[in-house]
Amino acid sequence: MRSIYLALLSSVFAASAFILSWVAEFNCHFLKFTNAKPTIPPNVHFGIWAYQFWTTATNVDGTYIFETCHTYPDQTGSGAILHVDSKWKAAKAFSVLTLIIGGVVFFSNMIRGCRPKYAEMLFVSRGEAVLYVLTSFFSGMTLIVLDSDLCKHNILMEEVDAASPNTEFGDTCEMSRGAKCVIAATVFWFCAGLTSYQGWKAEKEEAVPDTTVSLTDPLIAEDLS
């Protein structure tokens, strides 16, 4: 039936959006600063919860540079290195809400669909569609970090420029793959809500009994006596 296909399509959109949101928000490649000079590093990346870090290791074969993601240093108190402004805090909150609300709705729907009682149909509801659209809004609002101090007044980047005279990074950041994943996730969350709503409407229509009279049946029964 049409409602089953729409429910499955909604789950595919939601699964894709959840994976993209998880990858985007918990790595250190959400935004970047590009080096205008042809020196190393060409780009420096920052995430909502972590930032890019390099570790050097030297042995008899030479020196190797390893890229890792580190959580930000102490951001509170008088010794704070980075100032977490209101927009950065909001982006953190929106990223958590995206994964919690979207994840709960998606996984509860999957668990419900795997139960023997619902083995032949994935039921959808209007509330599920509303929550998916709300999750899409939260996901999109995560991009507010691009207007925060992390992007426009990054003290760590000022220290990098001061310590490396051969580098020249811009004053503002650019979107990296994490932010682009968030844009894609926002679209997928919205599509999940749209198809979920369409599936709910189709399920209601299929539940209505067919009361039409067949044209091949006689209106008055024939007297066979």
Side-chain angles (χ1 to χ4, degrees), residues 76-202:
T76 59
S78 58
I81 299 177
L82 285 174
H83 171 63
V84 182
D85 62 343
S86 59
K87 292 182 179 179
W88 191 356
K89 292 178 181 178
K92 288 185 174 183
F94 285 129
S95 69
V96 173
L97 288 172
T98 297
L99 291 176
I100 290 178
I101 297 178
V104 167
V105 176
F106 168 65
F107 286 109
S108 62
N109 190 35
M110 290 296 96
I111 294 173
R112 182 177 55 182
C114 292
R115 292 176 58 186
K117 183 179 179 180
Y118 306 118
E120 296 182 357
M121 178 175 288
L122 293 176
F123 288 96
V124 292
S125 65
R126 183 166 52 182
E128 176 185 303
V130 173
L131 289 175
Y132 276 146
V133 173
L134 183 63
T135 303
S136 175
F137 170 75
F138 289 150
S139 177
M141 288 301 296
T142 305
L143 296 173
I144 198 174
V145 73
L146 298 174
D147 194 41
S148 69
D149 285 349
L150 180 64
C151 183
K152 294 187 174 181
H153 304 286
N154 195 312
I155 300 177
L156 290 179
M157 287 308 305
E158 295 175 2
E159 294 181 353
V160 170
D161 277 334
S164 305
N166 294 327
T167 60
E168 183 181 343
F169 292 97
D171 295 331
T172 59
C173 69
E174 303 173 10
M175 289 194 301
S176 189
R177 61 173 178 262
K180 295 175 182 178
C181 285
V182 164
I183 295 175
T186 301
V187 175
F188 281 139
W189 284 124
F190 184 81
C191 291
L194 183 61
T195 52
S196 177
Y197 177 73
Q198 293 296 328
W200 173 76
K201 288 181 60 178

Side-chain angles (χ1 to χ4, degrees), residues 9 11 17 45 47 59 72 82 101 103 109 113-114 150 195 211 224:
L9 183 60
S11 298
H45 295 85
N59 57 24
Y72 289 103
L82 285 174
I101 297 178
N109 190 35
C114 292
L150 180 64
T195 52
T211 58
L224 301 178

